[in-house]
Amino acid sequence: MTDHSVPVLRWTDAPEGPAVLLLDQTRLPAEEAELRCGDVPSLVSAIRSLAVRGAPLLGIAGAYGVALAAARGEDVPKAAGVLAGARPTAVNLGYGARRVEGAHGRAVAEGAGPEAAAAVALAEARALHAEDAEASDRMAEHGRDLLLNTLLGDRRGARDLRLLTHCNTGSLVSGGGGTAFAVARAVHRAERLERLWVDETRPLLQGARLTAFEAERDGLPYSVLVDGAAGSLFAAGRVDAVLIGADRIAADGSTANKVGSFPLAVLARHHGVPFLVVAPVTTIDPETPDGAAIEIEQRSAEEVTANAPKGAEAYNPAFDVTPAELVTAIVTERGVVSPVGRDGIAAVCSAPPTGASRSRNGMMNS
Ligand SMILES: CSC[C@H]1O[C@H](OP(=O)(O)O)[C@H](O)[C@@H]1O
């Protein structure tokens, strides 16, 4: 896993008071700068500016944000609501905030005083952080084995794999090694990665800036490409599988992820290439029935029009939705969902936390 000189996210009780400390991802790869968020408003600002980003890490940030409000003796339910609403698409953010709010509320209901309840909140945030790190390792194993033993096993002994990824899904989005990028890293460590194609991922360049940063530091063979170049790689037969993360997976398996993911799914289906979504179960939202129900964050025109005439208008959705029928498999820490549909999603949500066995719905340990 990428060892950052500055931790991706950590809690401090430093003399000047409790705070969430973040590796500021808007300044990577040029600078590894630490951002101190000593209150909820500053953490919300960091979330909205993508100084901290990526669904699983947003869940962890939301969790610590509620713990911060508790430590400061503030209104915890109000803080949880503000944090959960900071960005609408990644379900993890609200999950993390509400989970810690619930732990804090139960402690108070049981008679805990403010300090004791704040300690419970912090412990719950730390537990979520640790669970996500463990989930990263399991997803990496399941995804690697799915690629090498199942999907592309007939290529055993043949050439190594050419994997394409979009946006950034490594340790910068996680309490551990990440999601989709962690699978690519595991394939590399199995000495089976020929090339990681890295979509630059406009407009904020999470691929060119952040995935390239992680691939460089982890020693993966990678090439950055403009998003529009992916089609020609598929047409030339130079992509063996697509690996992407997720921000919200609906009950029917529809998946919201960084804008540009849906076109990749169409390209993959047209060219008969496996399209894998890699995400922890905390990214699945059974309360969202289908892709149409997923709120897509619309971001500022300025992110797109930096090189356009002053005043140019823009269409800047941060995410798009890939329908379940275009997803080959969803790789979670509890196992692999395939075929992707309501039954498989329900099965993985009810599966034991690790070591899930094959289910009647096709879920399998890859
Ligand atoms: C595995 S979560 C990473 C996920 O988050 C990214 O969005 P953003 O950079 O706007 O937080 C993108 O959707 C990635 O796939």
Side-chain angles (χ1 to χ4, degrees), residues 50 53-56 87 167-169 179 206 246-247 257-258 319:
L50 277 71
R53 48 157 292 281
R87 290 184 75 192
C167 198
N168 170 250
T169 56
T179 62
Q206 286 94 328
D247 291 81
N257 194 58
K258 183 53 54 195
F319 305 100

Side-chain angles (χ1 to χ4, degrees), residues 9-23:
L9 184 153
R10 64 189 174 107
W11 172 272
T12 181
D13 284 309
E16 58 267 30
V20 178
L21 302 179
L22 305 165
L23 172 61

